[in-house]
Every structure is written in C-alpha cells, then in structure tokens.
Amino acid sequence: MNEDYKSSPYRRHRNDLEAGNSTRDYDLDDDEGSGPFDIVRTKSAPVDRLRRWRQAALVLNASRRFRYTLDLKKEEERKQLVAKIRMHAQVIRAAVLFQAAGQGQTGQGSAKLPSTPNRIGDFGISSEELVAMSREHDLSLLQQFGGVNGVAQKLNCNVEKGVPGDETDLIERKKAFGSNTYPRKKGRSFWRFVWEACRDTTLIILMVAAAASLALGIKTEGIKEGWYDGGSIALAVLIVIIFTAVSDYKQSLQFQNLNEEKQNIQMEVVRNGRRIKISIFEIVVGDVVPLKIGDQVPADGLVISGHSLSIDESSMTGESKIVHKDSTKAPFLMSGCKVADGYGSMLVTSVGINTEWGLLMASISEDNGEETPLQVRLNGVATFIGIVGLAVAVAVLIILVARFFTGHTTDPQGRPQFVAGQTKVGDAIDGFIKIFTVAVTIVVVAVPEGLPLAVTLTLAYSMRKMMADKALVRRLSACETMGSATTICSDKTGTLTLNQMTVVEAYACGKKIDPPDNKSLVPSRVISLLIEGIAQNTTGSVYASEDGGALEISGSPTEKAILQWGLNLGMDFKTARTNSDIIHAFPFNSEKKRGGVAVKLSDSEVHVHWKGAAEIVLASCTSYIDSDDKVVQMDDDKLLYFKKAIEDMAAGSLRCVAIAYRMCEVEKLPTTDEELENWQLPEGDLILLAIVGIKDPCRPNVRDAVQLCINAGVKVRMVTGDNLQTAKAIALECGILRSMDDATEPNLIEGKSFRNLTEAQRLEVADKISVMGRSSPNDKLLLVQALRKRGHVVAVTGDGTNDAPALHEADIGLAMGIQGTEVAKESSDIIILDDNFSSVVKVVRWGRSVYANIQKFIQFQLTVNVAALIINVVAAISSGNVPLNAVQLLWVNLIMDTLGALALATEPPTDHLMSRPPVGRREPLITNIMWRNLLIQALYQVTVLLVLNFRGRKILNLETDTSDHAFKVKNTLIFNAFVFCQIFNEFNARKPDELNVWKGVTRNHLFMGIVGLEVVLQVIIIFFLGKFTTTVRLSWKLWLVSIVIGFISWPLAMVGKLIPVPERPFGEYFTKKIRRNKESSGKENAAMEEGG
C-alpha cells in the first residue's frame, strides 16, 4: 500500500517518520534504509524482515529469547499442513463430482453405507454414517436417510425446536457422537523451561568453569574446603536457572489461558424451542443453530432453511469463493466457514475431531507466537549493550590475565599471586579460572537477556488485567500499539450508546401516533400489514414458553425494539409467521441500509416488505395509507411532512426506521429455482406503513471517557451508519462535538460526500472529521487509510462483517464482543467484551502502561549495567582485583533481570499516563529524562563504591585488622551497598518524571513483595552464605552505612529531577554529527573525482 505521510498534529519530533513530512512509502521505509530492529508495525511485516532482526541480535539463549516471537520454521510447517488438509478436502469434492458426472447425476453418487454402523443409544444413525455423508457431501446418502427432516428424526430432534436440551440428553449425544472439541497439544512442562534456561551460553561456560574450579579445589585443598569456590558458582547458576524457569513457566500459563479464551466463541442455538447462547465447545449433534451474516459455522451440518444463504469456504478450501447454500441442492455446511450473506438455520451432524476443521485445528492448535515492535526494538537495545559489555569483558579478561601472569596482581597481604617458576601449575590454573569466571559473569550482567522478555512479561500481565477490564487481546502487538494511538474511530450504536433500544415515536397514516403503540389511531389493515412485515422481515425471534411466562425476544437491539413494538400492537409472532411463507429474502445490507422479504399469503397474494433507514426507504415510497384505510398518493407536502418528522426525531438522537410494502403480481414471480435465486426484490413504488423513532440512550460515563481521550491527545471520531442528524445529536451529548458551532462540514460529514472526494481531498479533510453519518463500511476503510497516510496511529471499532477490511487496515482493530460478528472478531486485534467505549479508553491506558513500564525497567537495568561494568573495569585496571566476584554479580543479575522485571514490568496504569500526548512509535526508547536519571544514579554509585574500594580500609578504620579480613569486610560492604543502591533505585525507577516515587507503592503488592524478598535474601547471603559469596558478616554500623548509601539515592533522584533536559533527544545530536561527517566526506570525494 502506497502511503504518503503528511504532517500530523500529533508529531512529537522530527525523526518520527510516521508523523513527519516524509513522503516515503511506509513499507519501503520498513524495508530499506532502516536498521534491522526498526520495525514499527509487525501486523503485516514480511518474513525476511522478521528473519533479518533475529540474525542481527546478539543472543545468549535463543530458545528463551525467541520463545514468544513468531517461530518462522513452525509457521512454514503449519502452512504446509493446512495446504495438505485443504488439498484433501478438494480431492474428496472432485472425486464426488467426477463420480456423479460419470453417472449423469450432478451431485449424486452411489452411496456406500458403513457395513456395520456402530449406533449408540436410541439414535437411528451412527457417527460414522454422519461423517461419511458430511465429509463427502453425499446427497444420495442424505436422501437415503430421508433428507434433512429424516436425519433430524434419526437424531431425535426437531428442526424448529432443536434438541430437548436437558443434561441427560446432552450427555447421551456427546457419548454417541463426540463433543465439539479437539485434542490440543499439551503446554510445555516446567522441566522444559528449566532445560531452556540451562541453554544460556554464558551459564554453560560458567558451569564448565565451576566444574574445573571444583575439581582443582578438591585436588589441592581436599573436599572439605576445596569445593567452595566451584560449588558456590554452580549453586548461584542453579538458583538463576530455577528463578528464570519459574518466571517463564508462570508467564506461559497466562498465555495458555488467554489463548483458550480466544477460541471460546459464544453461539446461539435453539433448544426446546428457545434461543440460548452457549459456548461453541458445548454444541452437540442434533443442535439447531440459527445463522446470520458474519457467523462462523460451528460444526459440520445441513441447511434446514436459508434465505440468500452464502458461505465463504476459504478457511477450508483456500479458495475465496462464495458458495450458495440451500436445503435441497447444496445443503452441506463445513465447520470453520463463515456466513458471507443471508440468514438461515442448520442442523449439526458432526462435531469436533469428526469434522475437517477439527482435524485441522488439532494439527495446528499450538499457539505460534508473534513479536511486537517494542520487543524487536529492545532486542536492538540488548544487542548494542551486549556488544559493549562483551568488549568490556574481553578487556577485563586481557588486563587481569596480563597483570596476573606478570606478577602485578597481589593478594590482600600485598604478595604477588603469581611468580614465574615458583607458583604451582594448579594455583596458576585456579587463578586463571577465577579471572575467566569474572569476565564471563560480566557478560552475563552486561547482556540484558531479560530486556526483550520484560515486554512479554508486562504484556502477559496487562493482558490478564485487561480481561478484568473487559478487553480480550488477540494480538500482543496491539496492546502496546494502543499506547501510541492518536485517534479512535468509534461506532455509535452499542459503543457510545447503551444498545438498549425502544420505540418511543411513531408516524403512520400521515400523522404522529402518540403513544407509539396506540392501536386506536391506526386502521386494522395497516396493523395487520405492519405485523406481517415485522414478523417476517426479521432475523430475530419471539419465544413464548408453554407455561405462559414472559415472552423472550432475541435478535439485534434494533430488531428487538421493533419486535417489541409489534407485540404492543397485538402481534402473535408464531401465528404471523405461519400465516404466510417467505419466497425470497434480501438480508439487511449495510451498503444499501435496508432489508426486504417477499411473502406469499394463503390466498396466493404476494407482498414485498421493506425495512431500513427512514430517509432511504421513504425515497422509494410513492404512496401511504391514510386514517381512512385508503392508499393515497405521496404528494410534496406529505413528503416534506415525513422528512421533517425524520429530522425532528434524528435531532432528538433517535434512530429512524421506515417500514413499507408493496403488492407483487403473481405472474411476475420467478418460476424456477435459478430465477428465484437471482431475483431482485422490487424496491420502487412502495406504500409507506410507518416511520418509527428508536431511542438508544448514551452510556452514562461516555462523556468523561471521551474527555479523558481528548486530554490524552487522542481524537475521538464517530463513524456511524445512522442519520447525520442522529449522529450529530449523540456526538454533542458525548462531547465529541463541543458545540453546535463545530457541527459543520467537514467536522460533520456524510459518508457519501467523503466517498465522492478525490484522494487528495480526502487526505485534506480526514483530520478535521469528527462525525461521519450514513457511512458504509467502505467509507470507514477510506477514512482509516486517509488518517494513516496523514501519520496517525488509528484504532477502529467495528462489529459487522463488512467492517473486517477497516479493522484489518487499522493499526488497532477493536471488535465488539456482544454485537460483533465472528468475521469482525477474527479481523480484529482486541475484542471489547462489553461493547463499551469506556473499555476502549482503558485499553489506551494499558497500552501506555506497557510502554511506560518497559521504560522504567530499562532505566533500572541500565543503571545497574553501567555501574557494575565501570566499577569492575576501573578496579581491574588499577589493582588487578574486582570488588564484585562472579557469585555476587550473578545475584545482582538476578535482581536486575528476573526480579526487577517482575517488580517494574507489572506496575498498574496511573491517571498520569492519560495527561500526556501519545508516544511516537519511532521515539527513542531511552528518553532524555531517563538518561539524566540513570547517569546521576550510576555516577553516584560508581563514585561511592570506588572510593570504598580504594580508600575503604582507611575510611572504615580497618587498618588494625588483618589484611585478609579487612579486604573481605571492605568488599562485603561494597557488595551490600551496591545491592541496597539497586533496591532503593527500584523505587526511583517507578516514577521517572515524578518527585513522589512512593505514590501508590503499597497498592502494588507484587512490587512490595519482591523488594521484601530481595532484602531478606540479601540478609541471608551476608549472614549465612559467606563461604559461597566470599563475604563476611557485617556489624550493625556497616549495615547502617550500606542502607544509608542506598537511601541517599532517593533525595539525589529528587534533586536530579529538578535539572531540566532538552526537548531534542540526545541521540539526534550524534546522528546529526555522523550525517554531517558523511556529507562532508562525500563532498570531498566528489571534488577529488572532479579534480582527477
């Protein structure tokens, strides 16, 4: 897609190409000229781009680092498997058709029933017989069973009332025909995570070094004393492995639960004559399932009845061909396919593993992961830091080895540790192993392996919490992209409004009917025609229980409101449906905004009923029925009267629906099935029966939610299929339009007007649009494309099948969980479970929280990295000894990586996040504020600890102690103070740009628990594990010194936050200098060539 990015009002800085003045194609920008880690949109990223960043990353443990990214090899295998199963399906179809053609009977072959069908229970048909019929689409076998009704009888169910639905009956059906589930691959066991944690390159090297040190120590000092050095490293590595495995295992369980939630589709079925909603996994053979546009076919089955029923079988066949279905010629429905058009009902004949879809899902049921843009960028950050750390580790290794073997490294007594010709070979090797171990440990600390995984951790946490906030995340990347959203294009009905509709105004017989169900004001013929039209021209239904309980109305909210109005007018739904038969139907279409049916009465009279958007249906009406029950020509005055009525109702935020009909001559009816299938219902010369105004009140807190978005720099736009006047009234009520002064074009625009603009004009007005009325799904798609070309990060809500392209095109597609069709949900990234706009705003908060939490963790981790590296390098160069040994560094790494990520990556979102603009997707991850904070803390830690390292003995009054004891006390204090600096700095990292770092800390129990755990473990290490960590017990005064050194980081951070930082990112200064140098060298080369 070619997108010219124009200037965006939400641009944060010049380098944000998405929001800048760049006219480069978005995808080109992704492929060329950018670094391997510069992928801002993983939604449709090409495979070679995904492979490129993996190859560029510096990775110590590939199986762990890439666990939650798309497994490219498995994805390829999955595609091949799907192709194989689809080919199998097509081969069977082709064989059936070939066999049928050979016999001269289209669609019929010589059916072979299973020789000994294994019938279970009192059912007259076996699972094998049903599978044989369904899989091969065998019409002759279906006819042998007595057609759809015959199969229903054998399954002990009724095609209208469905199965009895009691517990015993359902258990019997599951026992005889199986359940609608498929075997799933088991999730990874805990031991698999332990094994993967063990595969870290540096940890393996450390284990080898520990084994060598252990063998050497035991050989030279005996088993009693000699095992400590090697054993302590091995134990530290083991603890790191266990902590890592436990953290990763818990994360995987969260993802497993969320994946199961994604597949749990809610379906409507008819049981005992009543429509109820159940999980797709609860569907049994014999169930009657009503189908409408956008539904997924939940199991293999047969069409009971259908009107313009068309199925998209691409999910099974791989061909995007729409197949027409009916109950006679093409009754077979395949599980997993989608209803593309029309409506009808089906009888379930095979479920679960007995369907081809079940086989397919059982083969590919393992979730294959996906990367997010932040994850890719953090791999880039980790790679850069890792390379620096690797260089430092190599430098430390070379310096320490050189100093050691030249006799410049001394022990605490000041004696050289190596003297050529005098030191034993074993001692020399032991000394080298210790140096090598320290160098390897520096790599462990330097390469932030946990940094990219922190994204997965915070996303897993956010996804779990978002479920409680009524949002189900289908794509991980959408969760973080939502934090960058600059505009939300929202539906009106059900999202901004309650979706609780009632008819509150009605116009019929050329006048207002007040109240709307006052039958005395409407002639009986008009009432009977209205009842006929309402009962037949609907996808809803009315269930009347046999015990005379309250009537239950099902269907969309609009359908329910009109059905309720019909009942108030005296409609008996069941009788009205049996008084006439539907010949043909034109299902409601969001493009044409109306739906119709042709019905044949008992006296052979044919009526065509239409229902839809009031002004569109009214435009097709040429007459109406007056109060005297006479058909009267629609003159200009009456037309103006009805138009004014529509405008008045729309201005009162009512949804206007018109109901009309016309007679149809029997001679003009199609005579063959083929003609009937292609028959266009007559839609002109209609007689107006009624215009109703349906009230759908705004959601109580929607105005606050919209204001919250505006404060956060996110523009809310309403895109609705409703009348422009209705949309304007609701937009004013919600706060999308501030006042009537805003309610002018192009702020307020009709879909048709926007559609008719040129592409350049659409780009120009897209930014200004606040409300789009009478929009088609294609208008929504055009708006999304225009906004994205303008540099916006666009979130779109949608519920209909035709919304799928816009949901897919948007940066974040939000499908509605209650009213949304399965097609819309499958095209979406996040499902809003309660259809509420407030939940959409909560998703924005969580998206921003993901980004903020990662930044907190980066700031914390880089401070530890910088401080630990500088301390060890300076000490190594100057004295040949490092104050932080291998075991101590592994403990610091555990605090920094696993525990630090758990504490900081799971911070809940705050209101502060919604008081700042959206985060640009190309903004530097490490902001100037973060650089300031981490440099101040790192500089403080390095200064204090190096002073202690070189002058500690004097400062701590240890000159009278033995050299060995003084050396150990000093190093223990450095280690203890360093750990406490990190613990106190964890609090600072919580609020990088706020003075009060303790705000809300007690509400984050996980954070408090982890900090408490770190303190307890540190106390245990110093008091009881000195042999392992080469530390000694400290006096209470030195404990106090350690805590005070850590505590000073709090006031220091507060003072640091008062230092202003430039708006322009630090990185830009370097890139500009590099660019300038390249340009000047290029000019020099050009001048030399010209001179030559």
Side-chain angles (χ1 to χ4, degrees):
M1 179 185 61
N2 231 3
E3 296 189 355
D4 299 328
Y5 284 93
K6 308 291 181 186
S7 177
S8 164
Y10 299 98
R11 188 178 70 198
R12 295 292 299 281
H13 64 85
R14 300 183 294 106
N15 263 10
D16 194 344
L17 291 176
E18 282 229 284
N21 294 314
S22 168
T23 53
R24 292 176 63 187
D25 184 289
Y26 177 92
D27 291 324
L28 278 176
D29 179 56
D30 231 13
D31 286 329
E32 299 168 20
S34 56
F37 302 106
D38 191 20
I39 304 176
V40 293
R41 196 172 192 240
T42 55
K43 197 168 179 178
S44 311
V47 172
D48 59 318
R49 285 288 279 130
L50 301 179
R51 194 172 282 118
R52 194 172 139 207
W53 80 258
R54 284 165 172 75
Q55 290 165 350
L58 174 69
V59 181
L60 300 179
N61 187 348
S63 61
R64 183 168 183 246
R65 177 80 72 87
F66 299 135
R67 182 183 299 132
Y68 295 110
T69 58
L70 181 68
D71 190 323
L72 299 177
K73 190 181 174 187
K74 270 190 186 171
E75 182 65 10
E76 193 55 43
E77 287 171 2
R78 189 186 72 83
K79 283 177 182 173
Q80 288 172 1
L81 189 66
V82 169
K84 203 180 284 181
I85 291 173
R86 282 175 173 169
M87 194 184 290
H88 175 249
Q90 287 171 327
V91 166
I92 288 174
R93 308 285 173 273
V96 170
L97 289 170
F98 182 75
Q99 189 183 31
Q103 295 177 356
Q105 301 172 310
T106 307
Q108 292 185 8
S110 57
K112 287 187 179 178
L113 289 167
S115 51
T116 51
N118 180 25
R119 290 173 183 167
I120 299 169
D122 57 352
F123 299 107
I125 195 166
S126 71
S127 177
E128 293 90 341
E129 289 169 307
L130 288 169
V131 170
M133 176 186 72
S134 294
R135 283 222 179 132
E136 298 190 12
H137 286 202
D138 198 330
L139 270 174
S140 62
L141 191 51
L142 175 61
Q143 284 161 8
Q144 282 186 39
F145 292 141
V148 177
N149 286 317
V151 171
Q153 280 179 353
K154 290 177 187 291
L155 290 171
N156 301 338
C157 70
N158 185 297
V159 290
E160 283 181 12
K161 291 189 174 181
V163 298
D166 57 87
E167 198 62 38
T168 313
D169 177 62
L170 295 176
I171 290 167
E172 284 297 315
R173 289 177 188 278
K174 284 179 184 176
K175 201 183 285 180
F177 305 106
S179 64
N180 201 27
T181 54
Y182 45 86
R184 300 193 186 174
K185 292 180 181 174
K186 281 185 179 177
R188 297 174 184 182
S189 69
F190 171 71
W191 298 111
R192 176 82 182 271
F193 287 96
V194 171
W195 168 243
E196 284 186 359
C198 291
R199 291 170 69 183
D200 189 302
T201 312
T202 46
L203 293 184
I204 292 167
I205 294 168
L206 282 176
M207 288 300 269
V208 171
S213 179
L214 195 67
L216 212 64
I218 291 168
K219 189 182 176 186
T220 54
E221 296 177 47
I223 196 161
K224 197 173 182 181
E225 293 291 324
W227 72 276
Y228 281 119
D229 282 352
S232 58
I233 294 169
L235 186 66
V237 169
L238 194 65
I239 290 167
V240 169
I241 285 168
I242 290 167
F243 262 93
T244 304
V246 168
S247 172
D248 291 350
Y249 179 61
K250 285 190 79 175
Q251 243 173 284
S252 80
L253 291 179
Q254 285 182 15
F255 280 118
Q256 214 170 303
N257 294 338
L258 286 164
N259 284 329
E260 283 174 16
E261 198 66 43
K262 279 187 225 171
Q263 292 160 348
N264 188 13
I265 299 166
Q266 294 296 307
M267 297 292 301
E268 218 174 42
V269 297
V270 179
R271 285 184 179 170
N272 200 23
R274 182 181 180 184
R275 282 196 192 193
I276 56 167
K277 275 203 167 185
I278 60 166
S279 163
I280 193 169
F281 303 128
E282 293 300 315
I283 283 175
V284 294
V285 169
D287 262 328
V288 172
V289 182
L291 297 172
K292 59 183 184 302
I293 296 177
D295 282 350
Q296 179 174 312
V297 178
D300 283 1
L302 302 167
V303 175
I304 296 169
S305 66
H307 302 288
S308 306
L309 189 62
S310 300
I311 304 292
D312 177 2
E313 294 185 344
S314 58
S315 56
M316 276 313 302
T317 63
E319 295 174 9
S320 54
K321 189 181 172 189
I322 306 299
V323 183
H324 179 75
K325 297 287 180 179
D326 58 42
S327 56
T328 52
K329 289 183 180 175
F332 296 101
L333 295 171
M334 284 192 288
S335 177
C337 299
K338 307 289 186 300
V339 181
D341 199 7
Y343 58 91
S345 59
M346 70 172 281
L347 174 71
V348 174
T349 57
S350 297
V351 291
I353 204 71
N354 291 328
T355 68
E356 275 166 19
W357 180 253
L359 286 172
L360 183 67
M361 294 308 288
S363 310
I364 60 167
S365 60
E366 192 177 1
D367 191 65
N368 212 9
E370 59 141 331
E371 48 259 68
T372 75
L374 203 50
Q375 210 174 7
V376 178
R377 288 177 74 189
L378 282 173
N379 268 289
V381 173
T383 298
F384 174 73
I385 298 167
I387 290 167
V388 172
L390 202 58
V392 168
V394 170
V396 168
L397 180 66
I398 292 166
I399 292 162
L400 288 180
V401 168
R403 286 184 65 98
F404 181 79
F405 286 109
T406 55
H408 288 86
T409 304
T410 57
D411 61 17
Q413 285 77 31
R415 297 190 301 264
Q417 289 186 1
F418 179 85
V419 180
Q422 293 179 24
T423 306
K424 291 178 183 177
V425 175
D427 291 343
I429 293 170
D430 192 38
F432 173 77
I433 288 171
K434 282 178 181 173
I435 292 166
F436 181 72
T437 305
V438 169
V440 173
T441 312
I442 287 173
V443 177
V444 175
V445 175
V447 179
E449 198 75 355
L451 198 53
L453 292 166
V455 183
T456 322
L457 180 67
T458 189
L459 285 172
Y461 169 78
S462 301
M463 284 166 73
R464 196 180 80 237
K465 291 290 184 182
M466 282 163 78
M467 276 294 286
D469 279 344
K470 304 296 179 190
L472 170 64
V473 179
R474 296 187 73 252
R475 282 180 63 88
L476 269 180
S477 57
C479 191
E480 73 184 43
T481 308
M482 205 61 184
S484 302
T486 58
T487 186
I488 300 171
C489 298
S490 173
D491 285 337
K492 175 186 76 69
T493 308
T495 309
L496 296 167
T497 62
L498 281 167
N499 226 359
Q500 293 171 3
M501 300 193 186
T502 44
V503 174
V504 293
E505 284 191 36
Y507 288 80
C509 306
K511 62 185 178 186
K512 185 174 182 177
I513 309 299
D514 194 15
D517 51 6
N518 187 347
K519 291 187 280 184
S520 62
L521 298 174
V522 186
S524 57
R525 184 162 74 106
V526 175
I527 287 177
S528 75
L529 285 168
L530 277 170
I531 286 171
E532 183 181 285
I534 289 168
Q536 295 288 28
N537 190 14
T538 184
T539 51
S541 71
V542 179
Y543 169 73
S545 59
E546 289 172 9
D547 58 3
L551 295 172
E552 288 179 23
I553 306 172
S554 60
S556 72
T558 309
E559 295 281 14
K560 282 157 83 172
I562 292 171
L563 284 168
Q564 183 60 60
W565 184 59
L567 292 169
N568 294 348
L569 291 174
M571 174 178 74
D572 181 324
F573 185 75
K574 194 175 180 183
T575 308
R577 295 276 283 190
T578 52
N579 284 346
S580 58
D581 296 317
I582 298 174
I583 306 168
H584 190 59
F586 176 84
F588 180 83
N589 184 305
S590 53
E591 291 285 345
K592 288 204 165 187
K593 307 228 174 280
R594 57 178 168 185
V597 288
V599 297
K600 194 173 189 177
L601 279 67
S602 52
D603 58 2
S604 297
E605 210 173 82
V606 175
H607 292 168
V608 176
H609 289 275
W610 285 97
K611 177 179 74 186
E615 69 271 27
I616 292 173
V617 173
L618 180 63
S620 299
C621 292
T622 53
S623 51
Y624 67 99
I625 300 175
D626 66 8
S627 304
D628 298 326
D629 211 2
K630 291 176 183 171
V631 176
V632 182
Q633 200 69 21
M634 183 90 68
D635 57 22
D636 291 344
D637 289 344
K638 215 64 192 172
L639 191 62
L640 279 171
Y641 171 78
F642 284 125
K643 280 184 178 176
K644 179 76 170 59
I646 292 167
E647 280 176 22
D648 290 346
M649 285 193 286
S653 70
L654 302 186
R655 168 176 276 195
C656 304
V657 176
I659 301 168
Y661 99 109
R662 62 163 286 168
M663 303 286 284
C664 185
E665 296 82 2
V666 179
E667 309 85 65
K668 290 185 180 177
L669 287 178
T671 51
T672 65
D673 287 346
E674 197 173 330
E675 281 178 12
L676 187 65
E677 197 179 305
N678 299 313
W679 184 41
Q680 293 292 318
L681 287 182
E683 48 189 55
D685 296 331
L686 301 183
I687 302 167
L688 183 68
L689 294 175
I691 298 173
V692 293
I694 301 171
K695 181 71 177 169
D696 184 13
C698 273
R699 289 186 179 271
N701 301 320
V702 75
R703 194 179 182 90
D704 295 337
V706 169
Q707 191 55 48
L708 199 61
C709 283
I710 293 166
N711 296 343
V714 182
K715 185 174 173 69
V716 181
R717 304 166 203 270
M718 182 199 289
V719 184
T720 177
D722 257 350
N723 183 304
L724 200 57
Q725 296 304 315
T726 308
K728 180 172 80 174
I730 294 286
L732 285 164
E733 203 177 328
C734 293
I736 292 170
L737 292 174
R738 296 292 182 89
S739 64
M740 285 298 286
D741 297 339
D742 291 341
T744 54
E745 207 170 300
N747 278 9
L748 192 72
I749 196 167
E750 204 165 57
K752 189 179 177 184
S753 307
F754 182 71
R755 192 186 319 146
N756 293 336
L757 297 173
T758 63
E759 191 174 349
Q761 289 170 326
R762 282 201 294 270
L763 282 175
E764 203 175 311
V765 302
D767 257 340
K768 298 169 188 169
I769 294 170
S770 294
V771 177
M772 188 187 283
R774 280 289 174 246
S775 71
S776 68
N778 193 49
D779 298 333
K780 189 187 273 190
L781 177 62
L782 289 172
L783 179 63
V784 170
Q785 287 172 341
L787 288 168
R788 288 197 66 230
K789 285 177 185 177
R790 291 284 293 177
H792 284 282
V793 179
V794 186
V796 169
T797 70
D799 52 13
T801 305
N802 295 333
D803 285 330
L807 289 168
H808 183 75
E809 177 68 23
D811 295 286
I812 314 104
L814 303 157
M816 297 298 111
I818 300 169
Q819 290 304 314
T821 62
E822 279 313 310
V823 172
K825 287 176 188 174
E826 281 202 3
S827 298
S828 72
D829 304 303
I830 297 172
I831 298 170
I832 304 299
L833 299 172
D834 62 353
D835 292 12
N836 192 340
F837 185 76
S838 296
S839 300
V840 175
V841 180
K842 284 175 186 171
V843 173
V844 176
R845 273 166 60 102
W846 278 108
R848 292 187 175 194
S849 174
V850 167
Y851 199 88
N853 286 352
I854 292 304
Q855 287 188 314
K856 292 169 190 176
F857 181 57
I858 291 172
Q859 181 184 306
F860 172 69
Q861 190 165 46
L862 288 190
T863 306
V864 187
N865 276 33
V866 172
L869 288 178
I870 293 174
I871 290 164
N872 270 7
V873 169
V874 173
I877 291 169
S878 56
S879 67
N881 279 309
V882 287
L884 298 169
N885 64 33
V887 177
Q888 291 168 0
L889 282 173
L890 282 171
W891 167 231
V892 169
N893 184 63
L894 194 64
I895 292 176
M896 184 179 77
D897 251 17
T898 310
L899 296 175
L902 268 173
L904 292 168
T906 55
E907 277 278 315
T910 60
D911 293 336
H912 177 65
L913 292 170
M914 295 300 282
S915 61
R916 58 194 194 196
V919 179
R921 291 196 292 184
R922 290 183 188 273
E923 272 195 27
L925 269 174
I926 307 169
T927 63
N928 291 0
I929 289 171
M930 290 165 67
W931 277 121
R932 178 197 63 197
N933 296 346
L934 78 88
L935 288 173
I936 288 170
Q937 292 295 331
L939 199 63
Y940 164 69
Q941 290 177 22
V942 166
T943 306
V944 171
L945 299 180
L946 283 179
V947 166
L948 281 174
N949 187 54
F950 295 116
R951 295 282 177 267
R953 193 168 176 181
K954 190 176 182 182
I955 295 167
L956 301 171
N957 293 322
L958 297 171
E959 286 161 320
T960 54
D961 286 22
T962 62
S963 299
D964 191 46
H965 183 259
F967 180 78
K968 281 185 177 176
V969 169
K970 179 198 73 175
N971 279 2
T972 302
L973 179 65
I974 289 170
F975 168 57
N976 206 33
F978 186 64
V979 168
F980 273 100
C981 278
Q982 310 324 319
I983 291 169
F984 280 94
N985 197 33
E986 258 177 293
F987 286 86
N988 291 331
R990 286 185 70 244
K991 308 279 181 184
D993 53 351
E994 291 180 60
L995 287 173
N996 185 0
V997 296
W998 308 281
K999 188 179 174 184
V1001 71
T1002 51
R1003 288 198 296 272
N1004 189 346
H1005 303 303
L1006 185 61
F1007 182 89
M1008 294 303 288
I1010 286 169
V1011 168
L1013 178 69
E1014 287 169 356
V1015 172
V1016 168
L1017 289 175
Q1018 182 63 15
V1019 170
I1020 291 169
I1021 286 168
I1022 300 298
F1023 273 95
F1024 305 109
L1025 302 176
K1027 282 272 190 185
F1028 293 101
T1029 54
T1030 325
T1031 55
V1032 292
R1033 290 188 180 186
L1034 297 174
S1035 65
W1036 68 268
K1037 289 178 185 175
L1038 292 182
W1039 270 102
L1040 199 60
V1041 169
S1042 304
I1043 293 165
V1044 168
I1045 289 170
F1047 178 82
I1048 290 170
S1049 69
W1050 280 354
L1052 189 69
M1054 292 171 87
V1055 172
K1057 283 169 189 175
L1058 300 174
I1059 301 169
V1061 292
E1063 283 286 317
R1064 189 176 170 194
F1066 289 145
E1068 279 193 24
Y1069 293 99
F1070 300 112
T1071 52
K1072 194 174 181 181
K1073 198 172 181 182
I1074 293 164
R1075 206 180 297 123
R1076 203 179 291 143
N1077 291 341
K1078 278 184 180 177
E1079 283 170 8
S1080 61
S1081 64
K1083 283 174 186 174
E1084 282 171 21
N1085 292 339
M1088 283 171 70
E1089 282 172 20
E1090 281 175 23

